[in-house]
Amino acid sequence: MCTRRKRIRKSVKFLAFGLLASSATAYAASGDLGGGFNISGYVAPTYIYSQDQNISSFYLGTTAPGPYEYYSTNLGAIGGVQLNVSKTFKDGSGIYLSFMPNMGYNKPIQKAQFKVPLSDHWTLTGGQVIAWDGYESSYAPTLLTITQSLAYDYIEPGYYTGLGAEYAAGPYSAKFMVGNFNTAFNASSKTPSFQYYLGYSPSSSPWSFWLYGAVADTNTTPAPGPTYNLIYNDIDGQYASGPITLGWELFLENASGGAVNGGTGQAWGTELLGNYKLTDAASVTLRYDYFNDTKNGGLASVTGSPGAYNYQGGFAPNPNDPNRGPVRQELTVAGLYQFTPELLGKIEYRYDWSDHKTFGLYQNAADAAGGNFYGLSNHSSLVGVQMVYSF
């Protein structure tokens, strides 16, 4: 009897071990924990070298000021650590959470969103939602470069906190939301902000197009500066067929009372990106950005204010005309290689330039205010290497 019980216990142990091993294998392949739970994320240590900015450093989960602001973007594509947890229910509703230690929009929360289907086409959504603007991914494993574009880093809305609705029918989609603009708590204005998205993605075509817009009351930088009205719009397109992926964007932001000289600020421009797969594992990316921020000295939220211009980011008024901001451009070449399904390697060369001397080693406008332009330049470049392990 004892021997039989031992055999039964041993069989149960082997069965349990087999089930655990099978579950672990399935989880490793999909991230599905069962019961509607799913977990995913990535770790992306990144090395940046720039002789122009006197920097040579790794980045991982830090928002410490870098030589350019885009080195330490809150979105975390550079040196990011992100954990995503979701739970879906039988009725199609779900909760979606993303965390980024010491980073994220509302540290450490990157996203905290719920969705509840109301009909075959409409869904109620709310919480902290990543804005629907632009064509670039904020997720390092799917981003085709290491650094982000100029519009993405400097003027595209980041997130909303509020309530909204989503609509989907065939190739058409729409999203609307009322809430706080780039903040979890709005202490600067009693007027809710509004964002919308209209998309068209036919399954029979490799092309897709969408329009995004936002209207908000927000503060000048540094806060708590005067509140100004902001209207932002971008038109985006994407083409994906075979080895070729193309992306483009036209953007425009108007900020009433949000310019460096107190007038109406305006930034506009375009972005073009192309990626070509050389093999199943290797691809190359080319990106070009044009960012015009000349009106009334530039946007205060980007350029800063007299005595504290953004030389780290390459934004400052023309020294011969303080009412004229810069025209900024950048060109990026990147190579990507998928070593394993989980491990992606990237290498990038980026060259930024301006129509006048807006780049400095440090964010300090004292020399510029005194007419001393030692250390300032109209260009800068970097080399980056990144390894992204995702699961």
Side-chain angles (χ1 to χ4, degrees), residues 15-34:
L15 178 60
F17 179 79
L19 290 173
L20 287 172
S22 176
S23 300
T25 302
Y27 166 70
S30 66
D32 190 353
L33 297 175

Side-chain angles (χ1 to χ4, degrees), residues 8 47 68 73 86 113 137 191 257-258 305 386:
I8 293 175
Y47 171 78
Y68 291 170
T73 172
S86 65
Q113 182 179 6
S137 171
T191 304
S305 57
Q386 183 179 72

Side-chain angles (χ1 to χ4, degrees), residues 211-367:
L211 169 67
Y212 173 84
V215 180
D217 284 342
T218 186
N219 290 107
T220 54
T221 301
T227 299
Y228 65 92
N229 179 260
L230 177 148
I231 301 175
Y232 175 87
N233 285 279
D234 63 47
I235 301 174
D236 305 87
Q238 190 173 57
Y239 172 91
S241 178
I244 299 175
T245 299
L246 304 174
W248 61 271
E249 176 177 304
L250 297 173
F251 61 86
L252 171 66
E253 178 176 314
N254 280 285
S256 178
V260 170
N261 65 6
T264 297
Q266 183 183 86
W268 60 274
T270 187
E271 301 172 354
L272 304 170
L273 179 143
N275 176 266
Y276 184 81
K277 289 186 72 67
L278 302 171
T279 68
D280 290 340
S283 69
V284 293
T285 301
L286 181 66
R287 182 184 65 203
Y288 168 75
D289 293 346
Y290 176 88
F291 190 107
N292 188 307
D293 190 29
T294 58
K295 187 172 183 178
N296 288 325
L299 292 169
S301 60
V302 176
T303 302
S305 57
Y309 293 131
N310 184 10
Y311 291 107
Q312 282 184 316
F315 287 90
N318 190 312
N320 298 318
D321 182 2
N323 292 317
R324 186 183 188 279
V327 173
R328 286 275 278 102
Q329 300 177 74
E330 71 92 10
L331 183 66
T332 295
V333 180
L336 297 83
Y337 191 85
Q338 195 78 48
F339 292 96
T340 70
E342 297 81 19
L343 185 62
L344 172 64
K346 304 181 190 181
I347 185 169
E348 173 181 308
Y349 173 77
R350 172 169 174 156
Y351 182 80
D352 285 76
W353 70 98
S354 172
D355 62 345
H356 57 272
K357 293 182 178 181
T358 60
F359 294 94
L361 289 178
Y362 305 101
Q363 191 172 350
N364 184 346
D367 289 340

Side-chain angles (χ1 to χ4, degrees), residues 100-172:
M100 301 188 75
N102 198 35
M103 302 180 77
Y105 288 117
N106 182 22
K107 305 172 188 177
I109 300 173
Q110 177 81 336
K111 179 172 71 173
Q113 182 179 6
F114 72 82
K115 292 186 178 183
V116 178
L118 302 177
S119 67
D120 291 340
H121 301 295
W122 286 97
T123 300
L124 177 69
T125 187
Q128 181 171 302
V129 178
I130 297 176
W132 308 309
D133 50 311
Y135 70 94
E136 284 186 287
S137 171
S138 62
Y139 198 60
T142 55
L143 183 65
L144 297 174
T145 54
I146 296 177
T147 62
Q148 303 277 13
S149 67
L150 291 171
Y152 184 96
D153 279 333
Y154 289 107
I155 65 170
E156 287 183 5
Y159 72 100
Y160 268 67
T161 306
L163 290 172
E166 300 181 2
Y167 174 85
Y172 302 99

